[in-house]
Amino acid sequence: MTAEWPQQSADPTVQPVPAAVVAAVDAADSTLQNPQTAVIALGGNLGNRLENLQGAVDALEDTPGVRVKAVSPVYETEPWGVPAGSQPGYFNAVVLIRTTLPPGSLLERAHAIEEAHSRVRAAHWGPRTLDVDIVAYQGVRSDDPVLTLPHPRAHERAFVLVPWYDVDPAAEVPGRGSVADLVAAVDRQGVQRRDDLELRLPE
């Protein structure tokens, strides 16, 4: 069963991208001038969880310099790092993109998408409407505390690894090994695929 969706409104991010920047990035897209592959993890357990994830997919596709190439199935998962039953369950998915944005600019866009979906950072491991996390970026390894690449806990999180494997079974987590091997080793209890739900790949 595929959910029916309301008409999506424009992404209410705060500052518009200057027209000259849009033109330059779109030109890079059209000529495939050094595009990079990135892996984005989506999750949320407040509000309309499926609609929020779809809104993030659509907002990524609407970003100059970003093209969504694959969207995983939706998984319902138990909250991470909190007592059982203390929060609603999460919906999670993974998105593969090609992008001409550098990692820092992509992170800024991820935060803007979260804020547009009323993400509140009130407590560590607290419930949230939407997470948009950069899991990996073209094999880059970085210890920058602002954006550590690959995501420092992606290799141990089934709710990231399982949908990532769905969209790219040959993927590698830099410095950690193949996603296939990591999926085989991780505890997948509490990670349930929701075949009754679907995220649309932007046209």
Side-chain angles (χ1 to χ4, degrees):
M1 178 178 69
T2 302
E4 295 184 1
W5 295 96
Q7 184 69 32
Q8 293 290 324
S9 60
D11 180 11
T13 48
V14 178
Q15 297 183 356
V17 180
V21 174
V22 173
V25 173
D26 281 348
D29 282 345
S30 65
T31 59
L32 295 180
Q33 180 179 335
N34 197 33
Q36 308 294 307
T37 299
V39 181
I40 308 293
L42 306 177
N45 68 339
L46 294 179
N48 188 322
R49 297 172 294 174
L50 188 63
E51 184 175 323
N52 289 340
L53 265 58
Q54 184 67 58
V57 172
D58 294 342
L60 285 167
E61 177 66 16
D62 288 343
T63 302
V66 173
R67 293 296 174 265
V68 174
K69 294 302 182 182
V71 180
S72 78
V74 176
Y75 285 82
E76 187 162 15
T77 67
E78 296 176 359
W80 175 273
V82 298
S86 63
Q87 291 184 23
Y90 275 79
F91 281 179
N92 291 99
V94 161
V95 180
L96 297 186
I97 66 170
R98 294 284 279 169
T99 183
T100 55
L101 298 180
S105 297
L106 186 59
L107 179 64
E108 290 177 1
R109 179 57 174 158
H111 287 168
I113 293 170
E114 290 177 341
E115 291 170 7
H117 288 80
S118 303
R119 165 67 188 270
V120 176
R121 301 177 185 273
H124 191 52
W125 305 122
R128 68 284 310 269
T129 55
L130 183 65
D131 270 336
V132 182
D133 289 329
I134 303 173
V135 176
Y137 184 100
Q138 195 67 35
V140 171
R141 297 179 67 176
S142 171
D143 293 328
D144 187 334
V146 176
L147 177 57
T148 304
L149 292 169
H151 191 288
R153 292 175 294 279
H155 66 283
E156 61 189 24
R157 291 180 168 178
F159 63 83
V160 173
L161 293 170
V162 173
W164 187 358
Y165 180 80
D166 284 338
V167 291
D168 191 1
E172 297 278 333
V173 181
R176 297 291 185 178
S178 72
V179 170
D181 288 344
L182 293 167
V183 165
V186 76
D187 181 4
R188 284 175 278 180
Q189 184 176 358
V191 178
Q192 177 186 1
R193 179 164 166 163
R194 291 290 303 269
D195 288 327
D196 57 321
L197 304 176
E198 182 180 5
L199 293 173
R200 299 187 312 270
L201 187 66
E203 298 180 356

